[in-house]
Amino acid sequence: MSGRFEPLPDGGAAIALDEVEVSILRSLAMQLAELIGPGDQPAEGGDPLAELFAEGPSEPPADPALARLFPDAYRPPDQELGPREEREAREASAEFRRFTENDLRARKRDDALAMVRDLDALTTGSPAPAPAVLELVPNKSRQWLGALNDLRLAIGTRLEVTDEDDGGALLRLPDSDPRKPMVMAYFWLGGLQETLVETLMPE
């Protein structure tokens, strides 16, 4: 078991991670949580009923990576719309975003922080002579899958990977290119994501 998730008998998943892999994953997950941020969450200690109906933002985030994580719901990308359809799509997207983005932002942040906590629990405080085995119960597997997907979307946006281009050309970048570490992380995370999905699929 190296570099891939394997299914566990109870329906969970397991993967062997060395110290460097744990460090990279933890750093990426922390950066993702910081990127997502708290959003427009109500202050703690407020009225629970008011918080339930609190409105979120109506405009998409300015950061391209965040905009990829929180896309407009009713404005298909790369599709030409007439003035009326454009206005209706914009208004519908704003309304949908207002009542869903805060919850979605909280869930994505929780997924990233769950990854951090699981990795922290895996480390013992001293260098391990061999890779440590991380075991995830099914619910944890789904949180990891969400975080891995969000990481790839954010990194892919930074690398300007499009739906039509899988980023294969980026693999041919010279080692001296400053984007190379991000490219390698993008494809490594893709492999982790793919094998984790396989453990969640019924046999």
Side-chain angles (χ1 to χ4, degrees), residues 103-180:
D103 287 343
L104 182 58
R105 188 179 290 263
R107 181 177 62 77
K108 288 178 178 294
R109 187 174 59 253
D110 287 347
D111 288 347
L113 293 177
M115 177 184 286
V116 172
R117 288 191 292 269
D118 291 338
L119 293 169
D120 285 346
L122 188 65
T123 59
T124 60
S126 59
V133 176
L134 173 72
E135 295 188 356
L136 303 173
V137 296
N139 285 343
K140 284 285 188 178
S141 292
R142 284 184 279 274
Q143 281 191 298
W144 269 68
L145 187 60
L148 289 171
N149 183 64
D150 288 343
L151 278 170
R152 290 197 79 236
L153 287 175
I155 293 174
T157 301
R158 295 286 191 248
L159 292 171
E160 299 182 344
V161 176
T162 65
D163 292 338
E164 293 76 23
D165 173 24
D166 62 3
L170 293 170
L171 287 173
R172 296 189 289 275
L173 290 175
D175 292 341
S176 59
D177 193 295
R179 294 171 294 172
K180 190 71 172 193

Side-chain angles (χ1 to χ4, degrees), residues 16-179:
L17 297 169
D18 62 30
E19 187 179 5
V20 173
E21 292 168 330
V22 169
S23 177
I24 293 173
L25 278 174
R26 189 186 189 283
S27 175
L28 290 174
M30 283 298 301
Q31 291 178 58
L32 177 63
E34 291 170 3
L35 174 68
I36 292 170
D40 296 331
Q41 296 288 354
E44 291 185 8
D47 181 357
L49 187 60
E51 292 181 10
L52 179 63
F53 294 101
E55 295 184 4
S58 59
E59 296 295 326
D63 185 308
L66 278 177
R68 187 71 177 87
L69 294 178
F70 303 102
D72 277 337
Y74 297 99
R75 300 181 72 185
D78 303 325
Q79 180 175 330
E80 292 292 334
L81 299 176
R84 178 181 175 182
E85 290 82 3
E86 174 69 21
R87 184 182 67 255
E88 291 175 347
R90 183 170 59 250
E91 291 173 352
S93 294
E95 190 75 1
F96 184 82
R97 182 182 297 278
R98 186 177 298 121
F99 293 106
T100 62
E101 184 170 310
N102 280 347
D103 287 343
L104 182 58
R105 188 179 290 263
R107 181 177 62 77
K108 288 178 178 294
R109 187 174 59 253
D110 287 347
D111 288 347
L113 293 177
M115 177 184 286
V116 172
R117 288 191 292 269
D118 291 338
L119 293 169
D120 285 346
L122 188 65
T123 59
T124 60
S126 59
V133 176
L134 173 72
E135 295 188 356
L136 303 173
V137 296
N139 285 343
K140 284 285 188 178
S141 292
R142 284 184 279 274
Q143 281 191 298
W144 269 68
L145 187 60
L148 289 171
N149 183 64
D150 288 343
L151 278 170
R152 290 197 79 236
L153 287 175
I155 293 174
T157 301
R158 295 286 191 248
L159 292 171
E160 299 182 344
V161 176
T162 65
D163 292 338
E164 293 76 23
D165 173 24
D166 62 3
L170 293 170
L171 287 173
R172 296 189 289 275
L173 290 175
D175 292 341
S176 59
D177 193 295
R179 294 171 294 172

